[in-house]
Amino acid sequence: MGTGTFVNGQTYKKPRFTGGFDMPLLVVVVSLVVFGLSMLYSSSWDFSLGAYGDAMYMFNRQLTWLGLGLFAALVLAFFDYHNWRRFVVPAMALTIGLLIVVLLMNEIRFGAKRAILGGSVQPSELAKLVSILYLSVWLYAKRQHLHDISLGLIPLGVILGVVGGLIYQQPDLSAAATVLMLGGLLFFLAGGDLKQIGVLLIVATIAAWFVASISATGQQRVGDFLAGIKDPLQASYHVRRSFEAIVNGGWFGVGLGQSQSKLTGLPVPPTDSVFAVVVEELGWFGAVGLIALYGFLVWRGLVIARRAPDMLGTLLATGLVTWIAIEALVNMAVMVGLLPFAGNALPFISAGGSNLVATLAALGIIFNISRQTGEGTISDDEWRSYSAVVNLRWWNGRRGLSRARRTQRANQSAPES
């Protein structure tokens, strides 16, 4: 087993590739892809016919994006994730550039400036993926200094502020919130000081309240959500039509391809509303089955994170699988009226190439982590802290890390004899 060097100059033992993929994860990904294609065709043919004059247009385009996504996943599954340390800075620079281009080009679709190239590419989806990669590498490199607010919380806030602020200007409130949540999670996993995490939560809460207060989009969505909580009949038109589809589906659904709501005014059934179509056609049993697939995917991702050969792998795998979980959870919760309306795609199911390619690329990285074994260079106390996410002994790990840091600071400040 050879050695390599991280960006901070520290060496690590190059992990050994096991050669095989995590088969349970591969099975669930294939299942989600097949399920997604079936539901996409069912939900899109009428919308596609009306919008593009071809019932197969959206389905065929999704197949094209699927091919690109599978190619990206395959390449990244064989690309050593340690090498991302060389590419995260240019990748982040490119992402920020694309987010600026979105604002400058001003292609307005559905009341927002989120896409370029005729609506084919949404840089905000790339921003979510690249933010996880960049923050994982950066936090790993700075893990010994995260207790210092000038080297931990403040730089983190600047990074998240730039990316989240550009996404917010589109406006895409849900994508901006997703980036901020993932940044906070990774900071916690990397061993960030609990006091700083508390400050981060307070600032994020105040910022969310402020944005909801001054943003017309935020005010409307929060207002519709609160009205719908009090009386479902007062919810937004979109959510009311979703309720109608869900009630119509009942326990066992009306049958694949037999949804009526997609023909009678359910807004954008192939994208935001696809979960409502799933429930109407396959019933609550079908919906529970889909949720179980997502749950299994998250479980396998966390298992891979816990078994990762070093903390960088743990941060990457946990951040990426959590991102997929957040996207799915928010989309489904919105359709049943449990969250204010958000534009998060339903991974593998919603039409849209940017999200599909980014999701498959993320899974390619997770597969690469699962294929590696070996020992990292972090201490046992640190490792217990990072594995806390999937280990009930997390508090002991964080206490061990805090003791180690206090001892280190005491030794540094002790006078020389």
Side-chain angles (χ1 to χ4, degrees):
M1 188 178 298
T3 61
T5 304
F6 283 118
V7 289
N8 59 0
Q10 291 184 330
T11 60
Y12 69 94
K13 293 180 181 179
K14 286 186 177 179
R16 174 173 57 85
F17 281 88
T18 61
F21 291 95
D22 186 276
M23 290 307 298
L25 180 61
L26 183 61
V27 169
V28 75
V29 170
V30 171
S31 300
L32 283 167
V33 168
V34 173
F35 184 88
L37 289 176
S38 301
M39 292 310 308
L40 176 64
Y41 176 74
S42 175
S43 62
S44 69
W45 68 266
D46 182 69
F47 183 90
S48 184
L49 183 63
Y52 304 103
D54 180 2
M56 295 291 291
Y57 177 82
M58 295 188 74
F59 180 77
N60 289 336
R61 192 166 76 165
Q62 191 78 348
L63 287 178
T64 301
W65 288 113
L66 175 62
L68 180 60
L70 291 175
F71 176 77
L74 185 62
V75 170
L76 293 175
F78 289 93
F79 180 78
D80 186 355
Y81 69 88
H82 297 98
N83 291 327
W84 277 109
R85 69 192 189 277
R86 303 174 183 173
F87 301 105
V88 290
V89 173
M92 178 58 77
L94 174 63
T95 300
I96 292 175
L98 290 175
L99 291 174
I100 295 174
V101 169
V102 168
L103 300 178
L104 295 177
M105 293 188 65
N106 202 30
E107 287 189 23
I108 299 178
R109 294 174 178 271
F110 301 105
K113 299 170 288 187
R114 301 178 184 173
I116 55 178
L117 301 179
S120 299
V121 177
Q122 288 190 354
S124 60
E125 297 296 335
L126 175 65
K128 299 172 189 177
L129 173 62
V130 173
S131 294
I132 296 171
L133 297 175
Y134 183 90
L135 289 173
S136 295
V137 172
W138 179 77
L139 288 168
Y140 180 79
K142 301 294 183 182
R143 65 192 185 280
Q144 301 292 349
H145 308 287
L146 294 182
H147 61 280
D148 187 339
I149 190 171
S150 63
L151 297 175
L153 187 60
I154 293 178
L156 176 70
V158 172
I159 296 168
L160 295 178
V162 170
V163 177
L166 288 172
I167 295 175
Y168 169 72
Q169 291 298 319
Q170 297 180 1
D172 192 343
L173 305 184
S174 58
T178 300
V179 170
L180 295 178
M181 285 190 290
L182 291 170
L185 171 68
L186 290 172
F187 184 69
F188 168 74
L189 295 179
D193 186 80
L194 290 177
K195 293 180 181 178
Q196 294 187 41
I197 293 172
V199 171
L200 187 65
L201 290 175
I202 293 173
V203 171
T205 302
I206 295 174
W209 175 83
F210 180 73
V211 168
S213 300
I214 66 172
S215 168
T217 302
Q219 289 178 352
Q220 179 182 357
R221 291 181 177 181
V222 172
D224 290 341
F225 170 70
L226 294 176
I229 290 293
K230 296 177 182 178
D231 181 3
L233 296 178
Q234 300 301 315
S236 67
Y237 174 79
H238 197 150
V239 174
R240 293 200 309 270
R241 293 309 308 267
S242 174
F243 285 162
E244 178 185 325
I246 291 170
V247 171
N248 188 42
W251 287 105
F252 301 102
V254 297
L256 184 63
Q258 302 302 311
S259 167
Q260 294 300 310
S261 62
K262 67 186 180 188
L263 307 175
T264 58
L266 178 67
V268 284
T271 55
D272 293 346
S273 303
V274 70
F275 182 67
V277 178
V278 170
V279 182
E280 183 177 10
E281 296 190 349
L282 303 180
W284 279 108
F285 280 104
V288 170
L290 176 60
I291 294 171
L293 288 176
Y294 284 127
F296 191 83
L297 184 146
V298 171
W299 171 66
R300 289 309 304 173
L302 293 179
V303 168
I304 290 170
R306 187 169 185 267
R307 295 174 179 174
D310 52 33
M311 188 184 61
L312 179 59
T314 297
L315 290 174
L316 283 170
T318 305
L320 293 171
V321 77
T322 302
W323 165 44
I324 297 173
I326 290 174
E327 295 281 290
L329 178 63
V330 171
N331 181 282
M332 294 185 289
V334 165
M335 287 295 100
V336 295
L338 295 179
L339 284 177
F341 193 85
N344 296 62
L346 188 61
F348 302 102
I349 316 296
S350 294
S354 299
N355 180 265
L356 181 61
V357 172
T359 301
L360 288 171
L363 286 165
I365 297 171
I366 295 174
F367 276 120
N368 179 261
I369 297 169
S370 74
R371 297 180 60 238
Q372 300 192 31
T373 61
E375 296 295 333
T377 59
I378 60 175
S379 67
D380 291 339
D381 280 336
E382 285 177 306
W383 179 252
R384 284 195 293 272
S385 172
Y386 306 127
S387 63
V389 186
V390 287
N391 193 323
L392 293 178
R393 296 176 298 174
W394 69 275
W395 178 245
N396 291 331
R398 294 194 64 83
R399 288 176 58 193
L401 180 59
S402 299
R403 287 196 300 270
R405 283 176 174 164
R406 287 197 299 269
T407 302
Q408 181 182 16
R409 290 197 293 269
N411 292 336
Q412 291 174 347
S413 61
E416 295 183 2
S417 57

